[in-house]
Amino acid sequence: GAGVSQSPSNKVTEKGKDVELRCDPISGHTALYWYRQSLGQGLEFLIYFQGNSAPDKSGLPSDRFSAERTGGSVSTLTIQRTQQEDSAVYLCASSLVKGSYNEQFFGPGTRLTVL
Amino acid sequence: QKEVEQNSGPLSVPEGAIASLNCTYSDRGSQSFFWYRQYSGKSPELIMFIYSNGDKEDGRFTAQLNKASQYVSLLIRDSQPSDSATYLCAVFSGGYNKLIFGAGTRLAVHP
């Protein structure tokens, strides 16, 4: 498909376990964002990758959260020692950043439930 | 002051009316502005973008940008119940070099 894909679509885990969430951006998009959205809340920025620049990690809520982007394409968000407050929908978005052109397209999200 | 501010709503309008959604931003150097629609349980969907001062029309949607006053708005003409959703304003901030989202305005269009 031509859009942003994320996997898994749903993840249920036990408190204390580690989880990995995957994002496959639109081909050729240089920028990739991770957001978190709790029920009924707005988007919470987590991390931003742009080309070969160092990622902007300013939104990561704790050191249990990390993300990497391999080869400038697929990204993995890892949450270690999950807590119940980590339960949310995790959204990935990508964009082609060219001058002021930077329309961002979202994937369908991964719904994480920590029991 | 938040970088991008929106009234959380809900904004309730009757079917067929014009819905007006507003957004203000703090980074005067911002250059590109976006409106996303998010239905409950779904991911945000880009519906409009605007880069220049003035109006931009696309079907029933009009985006308005006033950089001097640092606000951007979205007008939805002939509102339909299917327009009921949360509308997110997003601004590409040169200062932060990333897209900044507002918290969203919930729109309810009643028959």
Side-chain angles (χ1 to χ4, degrees):
Chain A
V4 178
S5 61
Q6 292 187 245
S7 61
S9 55
N10 281 285
K11 177 71 176 179
V12 180
T13 190
E14 294 180 346
K15 177 181 173 181
K17 300 284 189 182
D18 297 351
V19 296
E20 285 190 351
L21 312 179
R22 177 189 168 104
C23 172
D24 202 340
I26 293 171
S27 178
H29 279 194
T30 56
L32 187 149
Y33 297 75
W34 282 99
Y35 298 91
R36 177 168 72 174
Q37 190 171 38
S38 300
L39 189 63
Q41 301 299 309
L43 292 173
E44 177 187 2
F45 166 77
L46 297 178
I47 188 168
Y48 165 43
F49 296 90
Q50 168 51 27
N52 295 321
S53 302
D56 177 350
K57 304 179 181 181
S58 60
L60 294 178
S62 77
D63 59 7
R64 296 187 295 105
F65 288 73
S66 62
E68 62 177 18
R69 188 178 184 191
T70 54
S73 181
V74 172
S75 177
T76 302
L77 176 68
T78 301
I79 308 173
Q80 295 178 310
R81 305 181 303 282
T82 52
Q83 304 294 311
Q84 288 182 331
E85 61 262 29
D86 298 335
S87 296
V89 175
Y90 289 80
L91 291 162
C92 174
S94 72
S95 67
L96 175 63
V97 179
K98 188 174 183 180
S100 59
Y101 176 84
N102 40 43
E103 295 169 39
Q104 198 171 116
F105 298 89
F106 283 83
T110 293
R111 182 175 298 279
L112 175 66
T113 303
V114 182
L115 302 176
Chain B
Q1 180 189 7
K2 294 182 180 178
E3 290 85 6
V4 180
E5 297 210 49
Q6 296 181 255
N7 188 319
S8 62
L11 174 65
S12 182
V13 300
E15 184 174 357
I18 296 175
S20 177
L21 305 161
N22 300 311
C23 170
T24 59
Y25 59 95
S26 61
D27 182 359
R28 187 171 288 277
S30 299
Q31 295 183 328
S32 47
F33 308 85
F34 306 86
W35 284 98
Y36 287 80
R37 177 176 63 198
Q38 186 174 27
Y39 291 115
S40 181
K42 300 294 185 182
S43 58
E45 170 193 13
L46 180 66
I47 54 171
M48 288 286 288
F49 61 88
I50 185 167
Y51 297 154
S52 304
N53 271 330
D55 295 0
K56 179 182 178 182
E57 187 174 319
D58 184 1
R60 295 186 296 113
F61 298 98
T62 299
Q64 299 176 316
L65 175 61
N66 184 322
K67 290 186 178 181
S69 300
Q70 294 175 242
Y71 84 78
V72 56
S73 62
L74 179 70
L75 301 178
I76 306 175
R77 290 181 299 282
D78 189 23
S79 295
Q80 301 297 309
S82 59
D83 294 327
S84 298
T86 296
Y87 289 80
L88 302 168
C89 171
V91 176
F92 191 85
S93 167
Y96 291 94
N97 194 33
K98 66 188 178 193
L99 202 59
I100 308 290
F101 280 85
T105 298
R106 190 158 61 90
L107 173 67
V109 181
H110 54 85

